[in-house]
Amino acid sequence: TDRLTTGQTCVGCGAAHAEGLCTGGGVATCTEADHTPCQQVTCDGVIRYCTSAGGTWGWRTAVACDDGDDCTFNDACFGGSCSGTSFTCMSDDCTDRACDGTGDCTETPLDAMTVCGTTECPADSCPGTSHLDYPATCTRTCDGAGTCASCTCSPTPVDCVTGAGNECCVAGCTAGGGCNTTAGSCGTTSDVCTDPHVLQVGSLCTGCGANGASGTCSGGGSFTCNLSTHTPCMSLSCGGTTYFCTNVDGTWRWRPAPACNDEDPCTHGDTCGGTGACTGSTIDCTDTPCMDRECNGTSSCVETPLGPGTACGTTSCPSDSCASGSFTDYPATCTNLCNGAGTCSACTCSASSLTCSDGPLDTCCDVSCSILTGCGTTPGSCAWADACADPNFLIVGKACSGCGANWANGTCTGGTAMECSASMHTPCTTTICNTATYRCTNVGGAWQWGSSTTCDDSDLCTYNDVCSGSTCAGTPIICADEACTDSECNGTASCTVTYPSGTTCSDSDPCTTGETCNGAGSCTGGTPAASCGDGSCNCGETISTCPADCTPVCVLPRTLASWEGSAEGWSTSGNWTLQGSGGSPGGYMNFDDATPSHLTDYSHALLSPVMDLGGCTAVSLRYKIKLSDYLESSWSNDEHLRVQCSGNGSAWTTLRTFTDGDDYSDMSFGWTQYTHALPIECKTTTAYIRFLAEGDDSWDIWYWGIDTVSLEP
């Protein structure tokens, strides 16, 4: 099911009682190691396709295949490639979705408490005599069933209070600043509070501001708040009322309210906070391409539209084009303009059009159009000006000159003599003469120009010779001699076969000698060739009949390879090779960070030479190995290095498996020596040892180091 042989031919027929032999043909392979996906071959009249089913490659009559993409289904061979109907599986915040190769998605809910978003919390507030301090957001988490659950905003409450020894502070609260205290009354009756710029305070409350502050009544005096003398947001208690030194509408004075002006036109709602500073809420008044926007100290911006016709950007125009014999020429861009009401209006690209044509006296120019250069003309053919009557000489190729610009008038001039004769010829040369195609060919021994593609390549091992491009070639036939058959080409689809007689030959049996051809295509005769003592146990010899040749020999200890461990690298040492994709041997591989080598999906291995361990009773494999791993993120996932032996090079027994771990797992270990006793199935006359790299994605091979590998008794 994995190899097809097609196109064999029957040779050896002709004489009476001839024995025909099927030879030649092509072998098409479809195996894990050597395949061309969806290759199509017809065998015995049935179309077969090279496809993989269940991981096994083979020739099948159905077009069903596997393109290796889980996000397609109903995969089938079409046009020499395997493809299917694609579909999409999109994951969300709480569910991972993956394609299953059948058109459906597998859904895996994320673990409960997985973060899946945030919810904006309310603004801080001052209910009663406390301050509720909310976080900016709360965190939403998955419920373990694929849904992103809502979250609850929990504020931190702070009580607004005065200190234990307070004499005069009053507790207060602002949403933006939190709890605070302001200076209250000291209970005096000598305060004078009628002047808006000067307060006469008999006893002054000091120490207020922070939440929990304890004010003290002391001192007093005259306190000024005017343009020349002021302390912004200073607060005083006068006559039982708290006054603030603030600037409102450009005037500094004492006011019984905390409203103020921080001199920033891009804030609004300015007020004296608990820290004694005047602050407000900010507003963004950034200009747009068609609108000037300015702050004015309120919650809205002053907007002034730019005048109509003001440039506000560009729009890319379509590419130039050639269609229906004309050239459409667009500018690169057009200019967008403001409409006078603050909006930038898109512009319209206007193109110019030019008709492409040749001149009124033109005899040979061809009209052309290029999206880069516009309309033009190019030299065309000078048809019906050629001389084609002489079978050995054609006059062709008069050149068209004067073309280039649009509306150009071309003129045919010059010409070339083309010879095809016995003395001057170029096989299969093609030329156009008066619009007809002529070829220079030799048919029947005469060279001449003609319309036929039939030719003679002078090779007796081809037949049905025809011109292909500028080369005369035919269908090849192989007429290969065999041991007792001479086969010669004769220019046809069959070979001329003769059978020599008495010629020395070999019947491929090493145990006979002196064979000769019998004149009928067979190698016969010969005498036994066994020789005890020649060092080979063959031709029926046994231990009892020839102990000198047939007694197994065990040669141990034996060093298979010795690599430079300190350099953490290895190369092909002795007969060890790197097996690449399809089993083709490579040349060199190392294990250092400078030149990493990624091995993919079980397809690479290091194999030892074949060894004769048939005469050994006990054999142990000894080697040193280390892994310098790192915290991997995407290249590999649970990759392995397996140490294996085999008795025939195809069936393998695993002696030990090393792993570099799943993603984000560090499985490093230092130089360690291991010894494994070989099982009986590996102690054969054709024994192998190998290190096999395998993994789900790619194998980061430069992190492994292997030192001396040897076999011990």
Side-chain angles (χ1 to χ4, degrees):
T1 61
D2 58 6
R3 294 178 185 273
L4 301 178
T5 302
T6 61
Q8 287 187 316
T9 58
C10 180
V11 299
C13 304
H17 306 294
E19 296 180 355
L21 178 65
C22 289
T23 64
V27 177
T29 305
C30 182
T31 65
E32 174 67 24
D34 185 11
H35 59 266
T36 300
C38 283
Q39 179 182 357
Q40 179 177 323
V41 173
T42 301
C43 188
D44 281 346
V46 178
I47 298 176
R48 290 173 169 82
Y49 302 87
C50 180
T51 59
S52 174
T56 301
W57 286 91
W59 292 104
R60 298 175 175 87
T61 57
V63 297
C65 59
D66 182 359
D67 64 3
D69 185 353
D70 288 339
C71 287
T72 62
F73 65 98
N74 292 339
D75 301 345
C77 291
F78 181 78
S81 63
C82 182
S83 60
T85 302
S86 61
F87 65 100
T88 304
C89 294
M90 299 294 293
S91 299
D92 57 31
D93 291 336
C94 289
T95 303
D96 282 338
R97 294 181 175 85
C99 304
D100 65 356
T102 66
D104 293 328
C105 303
T106 59
E107 296 187 346
T108 304
L110 299 184
D111 295 338
M113 302 309 292
T114 300
V115 174
C116 57
T118 59
T119 296
E120 185 174 352
C121 291
D124 297 346
S125 61
C126 293
T129 58
S130 64
H131 177 245
L132 295 183
D133 184 10
Y134 284 91
T137 60
C138 63
T139 302
R140 303 177 65 188
T141 57
C142 299
D143 63 358
T147 299
C148 186
S150 60
C151 58
T152 302
C153 295
S154 299
T156 301
V158 178
D159 292 331
C160 299
V161 297
T162 58
N166 176 52
E167 295 179 1
C168 54
C169 291
V170 178
C173 179
T174 62
C179 290
N180 58 67
T181 55
T182 58
S185 173
C186 285
T188 62
T189 59
S190 59
D191 296 348
V192 179
C193 313
T194 56
D195 189 333
H197 298 293
V198 180
L199 297 180
Q200 300 291 336
V201 180
S203 181
L204 181 65
C205 181
T206 61
C208 304
N211 189 37
S214 298
T216 303
C217 289
S218 62
S222 176
F223 297 90
T224 303
C225 179
N226 57 32
L227 179 61
S228 60
T229 303
H230 55 261
T231 302
C233 281
M234 179 181 180
S235 64
L236 290 174
S237 177
C238 186
T241 300
T242 299
Y243 290 86
F244 300 87
C245 181
T246 59
N247 174 20
V248 178
D249 296 330
T251 302
W252 285 94
R253 59 170 292 176
W254 292 104
R255 294 179 174 86
C260 58
N261 186 350
D262 63 2
E263 305 299 334
D264 184 355
C266 288
T267 63
H268 61 91
D270 304 344
T271 184
C272 293
T275 60
C278 180
T279 59
S281 301
T282 60
I283 180 174
D284 182 14
C285 294
T286 303
D287 293 341
T288 65
C290 288
M291 186 79 75
D292 285 339
R293 305 174 77 240
E294 296 182 359
C295 301
N296 62 359
T298 69
S299 59
S300 59
C301 303
V302 177
E303 296 184 337
T304 304
L306 299 184
T310 302
C312 55
T314 60
T315 296
S316 296
C317 292
S319 300
D320 296 342
S321 62
C322 295
S324 301
S326 65
F327 173 61
T328 302
D329 185 12
Y330 282 94
T333 61
C334 65
T335 302
N336 301 328
L337 301 176
C338 297
N339 65 355
T343 300
C344 185
S345 300
C347 58
T348 301
C349 294
S350 299
S352 60
S353 182
L354 178 65
T355 300
C356 300
S357 178
D358 55 4
L361 303 178
D362 173 58
T363 59
C364 55
C365 291
D366 291 334
V367 177
S368 66
C369 183
S370 167
I371 61 173
L372 297 178
T373 60
C375 288
T377 55
T378 58
S381 63
C382 291
W384 307 113
D386 298 337
C388 314
D390 191 330
N392 298 119
F393 293 91
L394 303 179
I395 307 299
V396 299
K398 284 192 175 182
C400 183
S401 61
C403 306
N406 195 32
W407 298 96
N409 292 308
T411 304
C412 289
T413 60
T416 302
M418 305 291 292
E419 183 176 356
C420 179
S421 64
S423 60
M424 178 66 71
H425 56 262
T426 301
C428 285
T429 296
T430 300
T431 189
I432 304 297
C433 191
N434 281 354
T435 72
T437 299
Y438 290 81
R439 290 178 179 82
C440 181
T441 59
N442 175 16
V443 179
W447 286 95
Q448 63 181 20
W449 293 106
S451 60
S452 174
T453 60
T454 301
C455 59
D456 184 354
D457 64 2
S458 301
D459 185 353
L460 292 177
C461 287
T462 64
Y463 61 96
N464 292 340
D465 302 343
V466 293
C467 288
S468 177
S470 60
T471 303
C472 179
T475 302
I477 180 174
I478 298 176
C479 297
D481 293 340
E482 298 181 5
C484 289
T485 301
D486 290 339
S487 184
E488 295 182 357
C489 301
N490 57 17
T492 69
S494 61
C495 303
T496 300
V497 179
T498 58
Y499 304 100
S501 176
T503 304
T504 300
C505 59
S506 174
D507 60 3
S508 300
D509 184 352
C511 295
T512 60
T513 184
E515 302 94 324
T516 58
C517 295
N518 63 0
S522 299
C523 185
T524 60
T527 58
S531 176
C532 185
D534 61 3
S536 299
C537 186
N538 56 12
C539 301
E541 294 175 340
T542 64
I543 293 178
S544 60
T545 62
C546 187
D549 290 348
C550 297
T551 301
V553 178
C554 181
V555 181
L556 292 177
R558 180 175 182 180
T559 299
L560 301 183
S562 180
W563 291 297
E564 180 59 42
S566 61
E568 299 185 15
W570 63 1
S571 64
T572 52
S573 175
N575 290 320
W576 286 70
T577 59
L578 166 63
Q579 298 297 309
S581 298
S584 301
Y588 178 80
M589 63 180 295
N590 64 13
F591 283 70
D592 57 58
D593 291 341
T595 53
S597 176
H598 300 292
L599 304 185
T600 305
D601 295 341
Y602 303 86
S603 63
H604 297 68
L606 291 171
L607 291 93
S608 76
V610 62
M611 298 171 291
D612 186 352
L613 301 180
C616 301
T617 57
V619 186
S620 294
L621 173 67
R622 180 173 297 174
Y623 58 92
K624 287 183 180 179
I625 187 170
K626 71 176 286 187
L627 170 61
S628 298
D629 203 359
Y630 74 120
L631 297 179
E632 298 172 279
S633 61
S634 63
W635 275 351
S636 60
N637 184 9
D638 193 19
E639 298 167 354
H640 307 288
L641 183 66
R642 302 192 190 278
V643 184
Q644 297 180 326
C645 68
S646 173
N648 55 14
S650 59
W652 293 91
T653 299
T654 298
L655 305 177
R656 189 176 184 91
T657 300
F658 299 92
T659 180
D660 70 349
D662 293 329
D663 291 350
Y664 306 108
S665 297
D666 188 348
M667 306 295 289
S668 303
F669 58 85
W671 285 109
T672 306
Q673 180 168 286
Y674 291 92
T675 301
H676 309 298
L678 298 189
I680 188 171
E681 59 267 24
C682 295
K683 292 182 291 187
T684 66
T685 57
T686 55
Y688 295 80
I689 301 294
R690 77 176 180 184
F691 292 85
L692 174 66
E694 61 184 25
D696 295 335
D697 188 6
S698 62
W699 199 68
D700 304 323
I701 196 168
W702 68 90
Y703 292 101
W704 295 93
I706 298 180
D707 208 341
T708 302
V709 181
S710 62
L711 294 174
E712 308 290 342

